[in-house]
Amino acid sequence: MSPPRSLPLVQRSCWVGGLLLAGPAAGAVPARLTESALWAELVLMLVISLLLGLVLHVYRDRRRHRAAAETQRETLMNELRTLNRELESQVNARTREIQRAAALQQAIMANAGFALIVTDIGGTITEFSYAAERLLGYRAAEVVGSTPERFVEPVEIEARSRELSTEIGKSVAPGIDCLLIRAARGTPDEQEWTFIRRDGQRVPVLLSISALRDSERQLVGYVGMAISLSARKRLERALTVERDRFRTIFDLAPSAILTINDAGLIESANARAETMFGYSRAELLGQPGSMLAAPADFTANRAQIEAYFDGGSGAAPIFGRVVGAVHKDGHTLPIDLRLSKFQGEDGAKLIAVATDRSEQQLLADSEQRWRTMANSLPHLVWTCAADGAINFYSQQFCDYAGISPEWPLGEGGFELVHPDDRERIYTHWRECVRTGTELRADYRVRRHDGVYRWFEARGTPLRNHDGQVMMWVGAST
């Protein structure tokens, strides 16, 4: 008989196995159930058992792998969440950094004392600072999107184009390239330009242009910083005027003036030094100052001069002292020498002021003879300085007008002229002084008793050997 079909698979296998072991002697096996059939049933049952065990093993293994995979997935998710938090923190930090940089940029653009103009790589303006608005008179919205060469004097752009073409070795067209090409090549470009304001006014500026690069050193644009040079130009013009004025005074000084450097060499000399010592200015410059000193006087005073020059203070050791000087032709002349030290840009220097003592004495003697002669003449004699200011009244003049020799000088003498003649005579006199021409005029002069009398006046300029007016001599008769 066959095992009952209602039995579980394992029990059926055991039942069949029991029959095989009991054998025919047990008499329990039906005739039709052969041994081979039983073995086949048993093998089948065993195979099925093995398959069931394998399936169970695979199932359990998969459960273990699924649990391990779940654990690994959870671990990865935790790591991903941690990385996400770190990335979010970095993004927030970078965002704050960008915000700070943007705030700093805005602060610079709004408050910088110099004009800032930022462009993209093609030269189109993207940023225009408040200082740039003040400098050029444009609002940022009016210029963003244009190119900055619009602000530059066209003549200067063309000149710069020619200069850059020669420098680079290829043609540079007038336009934005003239401003950006050097910065694009990695060299900051600093030039003086004339900017044209919105109202047409020209403004001299110093413009420095640099390239803007990103973190990978790729070119992303340009920044130009412009500083107005108007104040500096005004100062330069004023300094030029003062330098020219000083040079005029320097050359018109009646004394010889020399500057001597710390090596003892002459650096400058005025016109009077040329006439006094007989050398041209070109012959004097670069020569030792000692060449003009009498050997005996130079030897006697050298130690004092060097000590003063090397660090002495206060009055110079030779100040208002008469010493000997040597003319180019070899003769010695007495000079009144005055020395003073000052600190120049390239070291200490001496200023030497020399007055020809022999000439001075001759002038003093001549003046004394002149005064004696003027006081002996019956006319009203007067003298003026080169600028027309009265500096001497003769004794006859003083007696006639009832004034003392110290009576207001300068233009005080015009107070003695009749009011109806005063403006006419003063205007005529100033024109004579300006042109250096002789004065001839008739006017009334007040006497000591208040009565006005007519006089014919004549004033003659006295000139030096260079043709310059040194003084005026006049007489009224």
Side-chain angles (χ1 to χ4, degrees):
M1 52 184 269
S2 298
R5 296 293 180 180
S6 59
L7 292 176
L9 180 61
V10 175
Q11 292 181 4
R12 289 181 66 196
S13 300
C14 292
W15 184 80
V16 172
L19 290 178
L20 291 174
L21 292 173
V29 181
R32 65 177 185 270
L33 186 60
T34 63
E35 185 178 352
S36 60
L38 290 174
W39 280 109
E41 184 76 16
L42 178 61
V43 170
L44 176 60
M45 295 298 105
L46 288 175
V47 170
I48 292 173
S49 298
L50 289 173
L51 288 176
L52 289 175
L54 180 60
V55 169
L56 181 61
H57 174 75
V58 170
Y59 170 73
R60 291 175 178 173
D61 188 59
R62 285 186 177 180
R63 287 190 61 185
R64 286 194 300 271
H65 282 291
R66 188 179 296 115
E70 186 66 24
T71 301
Q72 185 177 10
R73 188 181 72 83
E74 187 63 29
T75 301
L76 289 175
M77 289 298 296
N78 290 335
E79 292 179 357
L80 183 60
R81 283 190 286 269
T82 301
L83 289 175
N84 187 57
R85 287 193 296 271
E86 292 177 356
L87 179 59
E88 185 178 355
S89 175
Q90 292 175 3
V91 169
N92 290 336
R94 181 58 177 165
T95 301
R96 289 192 295 270
E97 183 181 341
I98 292 173
Q99 291 173 341
R100 287 194 297 270
L104 177 61
Q105 177 182 340
Q106 290 300 320
I108 293 173
M109 295 295 289
N111 301 302
F114 45 84
L116 280 172
I117 302 174
V118 181
T119 75
D120 61 17
I121 193 171
T124 301
I125 297 173
T126 58
E127 299 283 348
F128 197 73
S129 72
Y130 178 61
E133 293 181 331
R134 295 200 309 271
L135 177 65
L136 291 166
Y138 292 94
R139 302 295 296 173
E142 297 177 284
V143 298
V144 169
S146 62
T147 51
E149 81 274 11
R150 62 181 291 185
F151 307 125
V152 183
E153 184 71 61
V155 174
E156 295 182 0
I157 286 286
E158 292 176 2
R160 184 62 173 158
S161 169
R162 293 190 294 270
E163 180 182 338
L164 286 171
S165 297
T166 302
E167 176 185 324
I168 296 174
K170 70 175 184 178
S171 178
V172 178
I176 188 63
D177 286 346
C178 292
L179 299 177
L180 305 181
I181 191 167
R182 294 190 69 186
R185 290 168 165 249
T187 304
D189 192 2
E190 186 174 274
Q191 299 287 328
E192 290 189 15
W193 297 93
T194 301
F195 274 8
I196 304 175
R197 288 174 46 86
R198 184 177 186 179
D199 58 12
Q201 180 183 352
R202 266 59 176 174
V203 181
V205 300
L206 178 64
L207 176 63
S208 177
I209 301 177
S210 301
L212 291 175
R213 299 184 183 275
D214 60 18
S215 59
E216 297 180 355
R217 304 300 299 162
Q218 295 298 310
L219 181 64
V220 295
Y222 303 91
V223 59
M225 293 174 285
I227 301 174
S228 173
L229 299 179
S230 297
R232 194 181 85 176
K233 294 295 184 181
R234 287 194 297 270
L235 179 60
E236 288 176 352
R237 288 193 293 270
L239 289 175
T240 299
V241 170
E242 288 300 318
R243 184 169 57 249
D244 292 343
R245 183 181 301 169
F246 172 77
R247 172 55 64 182
T248 301
I249 296 172
F250 185 68
D251 279 334
L252 291 178
S255 300
I257 303 176
L258 305 167
T259 58
I260 302 172
N261 63 23
D262 55 2
L265 303 180
I266 299 172
E267 288 193 343
S268 68
N270 68 346
R272 185 69 182 102
E274 294 181 294
T275 59
M276 181 180 294
F277 299 114
Y279 294 94
S280 68
R281 190 170 301 178
E283 291 175 313
L284 288 171
L285 299 184
Q287 299 300 316
S290 58
M291 68 179 282
L292 302 175
D297 287 320
F298 179 72
T299 301
N301 297 290
R302 179 173 182 173
Q304 289 178 301
I305 296 174
E306 290 179 349
Y308 171 71
F309 196 93
D310 290 340
S313 59
I318 297 180
F319 188 80
R321 184 181 302 179
V322 177
V323 296
V326 180
H327 192 273
K328 183 178 180 180
D329 62 13
H331 80 272
T332 301
L333 61 152
I335 61 171
D336 180 21
L337 180 64
R338 299 170 184 265
L339 297 179
S340 180
K341 185 176 70 171
F342 73 98
Q343 188 67 32
E345 292 182 358
D346 53 350
K349 301 180 188 299
L350 280 180
I351 293 182
V353 181
T355 304
D356 189 339
R357 188 67 178 176
S358 58
E359 183 179 282
Q360 189 178 43
Q361 189 60 49
L362 289 173
L363 288 174
D365 294 343
S366 176
E367 182 178 356
Q368 184 58 43
R369 287 194 299 271
W370 154 254
R371 288 178 179 272
T372 301
M373 181 180 66
N375 287 331
S376 66
L377 294 175
H379 309 294
L380 307 186
V381 181
W382 44 269
T383 65
C384 296
D387 62 357
I390 298 175
N391 54 21
F392 171 75
Y393 303 104
S394 70
Q395 189 60 49
Q396 284 74 16
F397 199 129
C398 293
D399 293 342
Y400 171 82
I403 60 175
S404 69
E406 293 78 24
W407 195 73
L409 301 176
E411 296 182 349
F414 287 96
E415 296 181 14
L416 302 174
V417 178
H418 194 283
D420 294 342
D421 303 330
R422 191 174 298 158
E423 183 176 356
R424 171 178 59 84
I425 293 301
Y426 180 79
T427 301
H428 182 40
W429 170 240
R430 296 314 307 172
E431 180 64 18
C432 291
V433 171
R434 187 185 69 82
T435 60
T437 56
E438 185 180 62
L439 169 72
R440 286 181 180 274
D442 295 330
Y443 56 89
R444 288 164 285 184
V445 180
R446 188 182 69 207
R447 198 169 57 188
H448 59 83
D449 58 2
V451 176
Y452 286 90
R453 294 182 58 187
W454 283 95
F455 283 84
E456 179 184 1
R458 181 174 179 178
T460 303
L462 298 183
R463 303 177 186 275
N464 61 14
H465 60 280
D466 295 325
Q468 296 175 333
V469 175
M470 300 299 294
M471 63 181 295
W472 293 79
V473 178
S476 301
T477 57

